[in-house]
Amino acid sequence: MRSRTQSLWSLQDRHPGDRWRLFRAVADAVDARRVLYPGSFVDVAASFVFPSVTYVDTDARAERFFADATGVRELIAGHAGAPPEPAVTFIRGDYTGDLGLADRSFDLLVSLYAGFVSEHCTRYLRIGGWLLVNSSHGDAAMASLDDRYNLAGVLSSGSGRYRVTVDGLDGYLVPKRGAPPSREELRRTGRGIAYTRSPFAYLLTRVR
């Protein structure tokens, strides 16, 4: 009988292996061991690659998923190349509040389809750490306005794989029309903006 954990993972992994390929490309490009993933739902694919991941979500289904520690371990162990003893932590909570985590204690912050993660969670990212962010809900635009970050790479996808590009970065995060929106405008609309070039996601490094 299929477990609830397997069923929830199938709901997340609708394009089998896609998220693993994404995180594998990121891991090949950056030096990261400790990862913070707010708004993760049950996207445990980060643990297929990184040895220590803290997941954060308000969804009760995510809480039930991670509460099945044995099932989650089996999912991770069943993936070739996964860390031998992954550290998996789940926090059920709103990432806009205090998560009870030490400031500057993570190497990689993940912001995918989860709102303004960078605005609230950069405090947990070490100087020299990395932000993986896409344009959904405007967080890539928000991070681009944050002087704590520099753009360090972009992730493009094609033929079932992801690739990190570090050349020609001046051509990215350039609005198609007008000046970049302000933080207030981004908060008000809660959505991304159209850029002249649209990769899947961006890698920014925290510089201060």
Side-chain angles (χ1 to χ4, degrees):
M1 180 181 295
R2 175 182 251 190
S3 71
R4 178 180 292 173
T5 300
Q6 290 170 321
S7 296
L8 282 170
W9 173 242
S10 295
L11 179 65
Q12 173 70 58
D13 194 31
R14 292 179 180 176
H15 303 285
D18 181 72
R19 283 302 174 89
W20 169 77
R21 290 186 288 273
L22 168 65
F23 288 119
R24 181 69 267 167
V26 172
D28 288 342
V30 307
D31 180 17
R33 293 185 56 82
R34 297 197 67 205
V35 178
L36 179 61
Y37 192 169
S40 61
F41 186 49
V42 300
D43 185 14
V44 76
S47 292
F48 297 165
V49 176
F50 298 103
S52 177
V53 185
T54 298
Y55 300 90
V56 182
D57 209 290
T58 58
D59 197 304
R61 293 170 297 173
E63 183 177 41
R64 290 194 297 270
F65 175 88
F66 285 101
D68 180 9
T70 299
V72 169
R73 281 197 301 270
E74 289 176 351
L75 275 176
I76 297 169
H79 201 283
E85 295 182 10
V88 176
T89 302
F90 176 75
I91 298 172
R92 186 179 181 189
D94 183 345
Y95 68 73
T96 65
D98 188 353
L99 296 176
L101 300 169
D103 288 353
R104 302 187 181 186
S105 59
F106 290 88
D107 304 310
L108 175 68
L109 175 62
V110 178
S111 176
L112 299 174
Y113 307 104
F116 296 124
V117 169
S118 69
E119 189 172 31
H120 299 282
C121 296
T122 293
R123 59 179 288 192
Y124 305 116
L125 184 65
R126 66 173 173 84
I127 305 298
W130 305 83
L131 169 67
L132 170 65
V133 60
N134 68 356
S135 292
S136 177
H137 304 288
D139 202 27
M142 184 69 78
S144 75
L145 299 175
D146 191 331
D147 64 6
R148 293 174 296 178
Y149 286 110
N150 283 343
L151 180 62
V154 296
L155 280 113
S156 56
S157 62
S159 301
R161 63 186 293 267
Y162 290 88
R163 182 170 61 92
V164 176
T165 300
V166 298
D167 298 321
L169 297 180
D170 289 346
Y172 291 92
L173 295 172
V174 177
K176 283 186 176 180
R177 298 181 181 85
S182 67
R183 290 184 175 87
E184 291 72 23
E185 289 172 310
L186 289 169
R187 293 188 195 105
R188 186 175 67 252
T189 62
R191 62 174 183 266
I193 65 173
Y195 290 120
T196 55
R197 304 176 74 177
S198 301
F200 173 78
Y202 304 86
L203 277 172
L204 295 90
T205 187
R206 184 175 178 187
V207 294
R208 70 171 189 84

